[in-house]
Amino acid sequence: MADVRLVSRRRRRTLVLRSTPAALAAALLLGGALPYMADGPRTFLSYLVLADRTDAQGVAVADAAVRAAGGQVVQEYPQVGMVLAYAADGSFAARVRGRSGIAAAGATRTAKVPGPPRAVAGAGDFRHGAGDAAERMEGDTTPTVPDPAERGGWNLTMMGDDPAAAAGGTLPAAAPGGPAAAAQRESALHQVLVAVLDSGVDDTHPDLRDAVSPADSVSCADGRPDARSGAWRPDPSVAESGHGTHVAGLIGAARDGHGVVGVAPGVRIAAVRLLGPLGQYYPENIVCGLLWAADHGAVAINDSYFADPWKYNCPQDPDQGAMIQAVGRAVAYAQRRALVVASAGNDGQDLTGPRTDRRSPNDRLSGPGDDRQLGPECIRLPGELPGVVSVGAVTRTGAIASYSNYGDGRITLAAPGGDPDGGPDDAIVSDWPGGRYAALAGTSMSAAHVTGAIAVAAALHPDWGPDRLRGLLLTQAHANCLVGAGLCRDRAGYGAGIVALPH
């Protein structure tokens, strides 16, 4: 689920992020809207199976264990010794866990589907693809705003940039180092790739058509890398599909006098669609996306969502514990090459203390969610995994947003997220599919600002690895607090401070 709140003229409301149970049930019965193979009266769950070995030999062990337990392997992840499998037998995971050479196995969903995904040309081998025209989202009711023409931008001003100062040119006169340095920075950003793992990106939007790299973009909406032309674009039939376009615009929208301008105009974006046909960010989608982004050279990977169907995954549950290990392996693999950035969440909860989750599992077809009482060991994926840059939200005053999750040691730094009660001027305006613009607020937006800042740092220091880029980011975030709002005493909310544009 994406971490965003919708701003409209009617004060605040929460963005509708999931199809209704009735709609989900109807979709399953109709079958045609879902990429699954019907297999008689049986229904299936998906599973991630992890071998002890984190390599291709581990995949071979996992393959054999799946077949012996009566399952079907749908996708292999040789980078991390893991496979995605489907099985109709409810005892499948328990049987696999008992086999030699298997580290963990668990169901990635709770709602069954008619069968494993259908085969598609171009999927399954982490290949490249190319693009063509996008489709306008049908039935999208998100309130939009007029073309802002690059006016305003309190969020960039808070970071040390001033889009309003760019008079008569394409670069910000107030950028660190002046216009010449800004021009050099934008040129260098053409050599930097960041990945947006999200609901898809509309690369036909005027602000993004030159930013999205088709050769580095893909759909992982069912756990397999689908490199067919345009597969990375939003699915207009799924709610919240505009979210990824909004996030991508905050990171890299072009500075051309129209629309909005991103934190890192000129950066190349790998659009990686995770959002599947049932409106879920399942763990296998996340694993696929992280591996794809890392293998294609992204220096930062933006994750403005949490893993479905469990809002928090608890290690004592065998399925959820397996998901922690699975996504953890993919994050660790990506971190060899990139900084993994994630939203902290919009529940206003202390992540270090006891809390209640009444929404999980969120892929259920009927009935209320489980009323779960959680401890600090239950974590959001991927935001609370080791080394992930977890980002909280601040409003335009520099104060921590009331919706932003917090917790000492759980928040790396804060960034502009906006206030959903204040209207478009207090929210974050960015791109929306179909050449439009929308005002949203949430830690989703905060994470995007940090990813853009990492891109700028990588452009300034092309020979630096993830650790040095992270160090620069945290150092300058601390300095931004000292000279700015001066509100960053509470590490539980701010972490190291408020993100600044690197220089």
Side-chain angles (χ1 to χ4, degrees):
M1 179 179 288
D3 290 314
V4 65
R5 294 185 179 229
L6 181 64
V7 174
S8 73
R9 296 186 180 92
R10 298 186 298 276
R11 304 292 289 168
R12 183 176 76 183
R13 70 177 186 181
T14 301
L15 180 62
V16 178
L17 298 180
R18 292 287 173 264
S19 302
T20 64
L24 288 174
L28 285 170
L29 289 172
L30 291 172
L34 301 177
Y36 300 107
M37 297 184 295
D39 191 8
R42 297 193 301 168
T43 53
F44 292 73
L45 287 178
S46 51
Y47 299 85
L48 286 174
V49 179
L50 292 71
D52 290 332
R53 293 183 61 108
T54 58
D55 55 16
Q57 292 184 46
V59 163
V61 172
D63 282 348
V66 168
R67 290 193 299 269
Q72 176 182 335
V73 174
V74 171
Q75 177 64 45
E76 297 177 339
Y77 308 108
Q79 303 97 319
V80 289
M82 189 189 318
V83 302
L84 170 65
Y86 277 70
D89 185 346
S91 61
F92 171 80
R95 291 201 306 277
V96 172
R97 292 180 197 124
R99 293 189 63 87
S100 175
I102 297 299
T108 70
R109 65 180 72 211
T110 68
K112 293 186 175 182
V113 295
R118 299 187 184 103
V120 291
D125 56 5
F126 290 91
R127 292 185 302 180
H128 292 202
D132 46 40
E135 182 178 2
R136 185 182 178 90
M137 292 170 59
E138 298 297 333
D140 178 23
T141 59
T142 302
T144 56
V145 299
D147 182 342
E150 297 183 359
R151 295 185 298 272
W154 66 266
N155 49 321
L156 297 187
T157 301
M158 180 177 286
M159 294 179 65
D161 199 353
D162 185 2
T170 61
L171 297 165
Q184 184 177 10
R185 182 183 75 197
E186 187 160 334
S187 177
L189 278 165
H190 293 313
Q191 308 304 314
V192 175
L193 180 74
V194 299
V196 175
L197 277 55
D198 214 292
S199 63
V201 177
D202 179 7
D203 57 334
T204 70
H205 195 291
D207 280 348
L208 294 170
R209 62 167 59 107
D210 294 329
V212 173
S213 170
D216 298 304
S217 298
V218 73
S219 171
C220 283
D222 61 11
R224 302 173 299 170
D226 180 357
R228 290 177 296 172
S229 177
W232 57 84
R233 298 194 180 113
D235 181 345
S237 68
V238 180
E240 82 166 275
S241 284
H243 183 271
T245 302
H246 196 278
V247 166
L250 291 175
I251 296 169
R255 189 183 296 276
D256 55 8
H258 304 283
V260 298
V261 59
V263 175
V267 72
R268 293 162 47 237
I269 294 174
V272 181
R273 180 163 72 91
L274 301 188
L275 190 65
L278 294 182
Q280 304 289 327
Y281 294 83
Y282 283 122
E284 62 264 32
N285 306 6
I286 299 169
V287 169
C288 171
L290 288 166
L291 300 183
W292 175 276
D295 286 348
H296 284 72
V299 301
I301 302 173
N302 192 90
D303 302 271
S304 290
Y305 58 84
F306 64 84
D308 298 310
W310 302 99
K311 190 163 197 177
Y312 297 92
N313 284 265
C314 301
Q316 61 269 30
D317 179 278
D319 289 321
Q320 295 170 40
M323 296 310 101
I324 293 173
Q325 293 185 54
V327 178
R329 280 194 187 185
V331 165
Y333 178 85
Q335 286 171 334
R336 301 173 192 170
R337 302 161 172 80
L339 285 170
V340 178
V341 181
S343 51
N346 296 340
D347 298 309
Q349 292 183 333
D350 182 355
L351 298 175
T352 66
R355 56 199 183 281
T356 302
D357 174 16
R358 294 188 175 92
R359 299 171 61 184
S360 301
N362 60 18
D363 66 345
R364 64 191 183 277
L365 299 182
S366 64
D370 296 342
D371 192 356
R372 301 197 300 162
Q373 302 303 313
L374 308 178
E377 76 282 0
C378 299
I379 63 173
R380 286 170 52 92
L381 296 177
E384 291 186 82
L385 288 167
V388 172
V389 179
S390 179
V391 188
V394 296
T395 65
R396 68 184 304 162
T397 67
I400 292 294
S402 60
Y403 57 79
S404 184
N405 284 347
Y406 58 95
D408 193 8
R410 303 294 178 99
I411 303 299
T412 309
L413 74 173
D419 180 358
D421 287 330
D425 289 344
D426 286 335
I428 309 291
V429 176
S430 186
D431 301 321
W432 201 250
R436 297 173 292 164
Y437 306 90
L440 303 179
T443 56
S444 283
M445 289 65 252
S446 306
H449 287 86
V450 171
T451 297
I454 294 168
V456 172
L460 295 173
H461 306 283
D463 57 335
W464 284 15
D467 290 344
R468 294 186 73 182
L469 293 175
R470 180 189 181 101
L472 176 64
L473 197 72
L474 300 188
T475 297
Q476 296 195 342
H478 180 66
N480 196 31
C481 282
L482 295 178
V483 301
L487 297 173
C488 302
R489 301 180 185 90
D490 181 8
R491 287 185 55 84
Y494 291 94
I498 298 175
V499 69
L501 195 69
H503 56 272

